[in-house]
Amino acid sequence: MSYESVVFIAREVMIYQIPPLKTSKGYRASEWDVAKPLWSGRLRVVEKNVPLTKDAYDACELRCELLLEDSTSGELFATAVYDSNGKGVEQVVDSSRFFVIRVVDGERHAYLGMGFQERSESFDFNIALQDYKRHSDPMANTPASVSKNAPKDYSLKDGETITISLGPRRKKPDSRTVSGSNSSSSSSSVLPFLPPPPSAAQVKQQNRGEEQDDFGEFVS
C-alpha cells in the first residue's frame, strides 16, 4: 500500500532555463539570467512509499519527488525525482539559494535552475533532502546498528557464581608464647633492687672506726 508524506513546502520558487554545463566544477548561478525566470510557483517535496509490485505485501521503495505546482490552482508544472544517492538535485557552486534539478516527463528529462527568495528556505530544503536520504537507508534502523552502542550487561546469569581468592591465612600466635615473651622482656627491662642509704648513726660509727685506724697507724 502506497502513501505520500509532504516534508517541505515553499510558497514560491523561480525556475530558470540554464546553459549546458561547461566544466566539471559544477553549475554557476552567475551565468543565468536570474532577472527573467522561466516560471515561478509553489514547491512541494514529498516522500512516497511505493510497492515494487502490484502485491501490497511485497517490498516497497521510498521515493522523493519535487512537485512544481501553480500557487493558485495547484496545476502541476514539472516533477523532479531526487535519488537516495544524491542525484536529481545539485547545488550551484557560487550561491546557497540556487540549485539545478532534473525534471522528468516520461522518458524525457531536462535540467533546470531553481532559486529561493530566502536563504532560510533553501536551508530547510537541504534538510528535507538529507532526512530523506537517512529514511531511505536500509541500514539506518537495523538492530545491529542500534545494539552497537547499547550498554553491556555484566550481571550474573542463572547458575553463574564468582570465585574469590583471598590468599594464605596468617597463623594466630600462641597466647602462652606471647605472655612468656612479654614477661621475659618486662623482667629484663626492670631495674635491679638497690639497698637503702645508711643512717646517720651508721655514718658516725663508720667515721669513728676510720679515725681509730688512722691513729693506730700513726702511734705505731
Side-chain angles (χ1 to χ4, degrees), residues 24 39 66 91 108 130 158 166 182 192 198 204 210 215 220:
S24 58
W39 178 87
L66 283 63
Q91 188 168 358
R108 299 181 302 173
Q130 293 175 13
D158 293 340
L166 299 178
N182 291 337
K204 290 181 180 181
E210 292 177 355
F215 183 75
S220 61

Side-chain angles (χ1 to χ4, degrees), residues 69-171:
E69 303 168 336
D70 185 270
S71 300
T72 305
S73 63
E75 182 182 358
L76 183 65
F77 170 74
T79 301
V81 178
Y82 180 67
D83 188 82
S84 59
N85 294 325
K87 298 179 180 180
V89 178
E90 181 180 350
Q91 188 168 358
V92 300
V93 297
D94 57 348
S95 176
S96 61
R97 295 190 297 113
F98 293 89
F99 300 81
V100 175
I101 60 175
R102 182 178 183 270
V103 298
V104 294
D105 182 13
E107 298 296 331
R108 299 181 302 173
H109 68 271
Y111 292 92
L112 298 176
M114 182 177 69
F116 293 90
Q117 293 182 343
E118 302 291 338
R119 285 186 173 84
S120 58
E121 287 186 325
S122 63
F123 177 80
D124 294 339
F125 172 69
N126 263 323
I127 294 298
L129 298 184
Q130 293 175 13
D131 289 343
Y132 162 71
K133 291 180 66 175
R134 186 174 67 254
H135 298 161
S136 60
D137 185 2
M139 300 300 294
N141 298 315
T142 56
S145 62
V146 173
S147 61
K148 183 177 180 180
N149 297 323
K152 295 183 179 180
D153 184 11
Y154 294 100
S155 60
L156 292 178
K157 306 300 186 295
D158 293 340
E160 293 182 345
T161 58
I162 295 179
T163 302
I164 301 176
S165 178
L166 299 178
R169 296 183 59 185
R170 297 181 59 183
K171 184 178 180 181

Side-chain angles (χ1 to χ4, degrees), residues 161-192:
T161 58
I162 295 179
T163 302
I164 301 176
S165 178
L166 299 178
R169 296 183 59 185
R170 297 181 59 183
K171 184 178 180 181
K172 186 177 180 181
D174 191 353
S175 59
R176 293 175 297 177
T177 306
V178 174
S179 59
S181 60
N182 291 337
S183 61
S184 59
S185 59
S186 61
S187 61
S188 60
S189 61
V190 175
L191 293 176

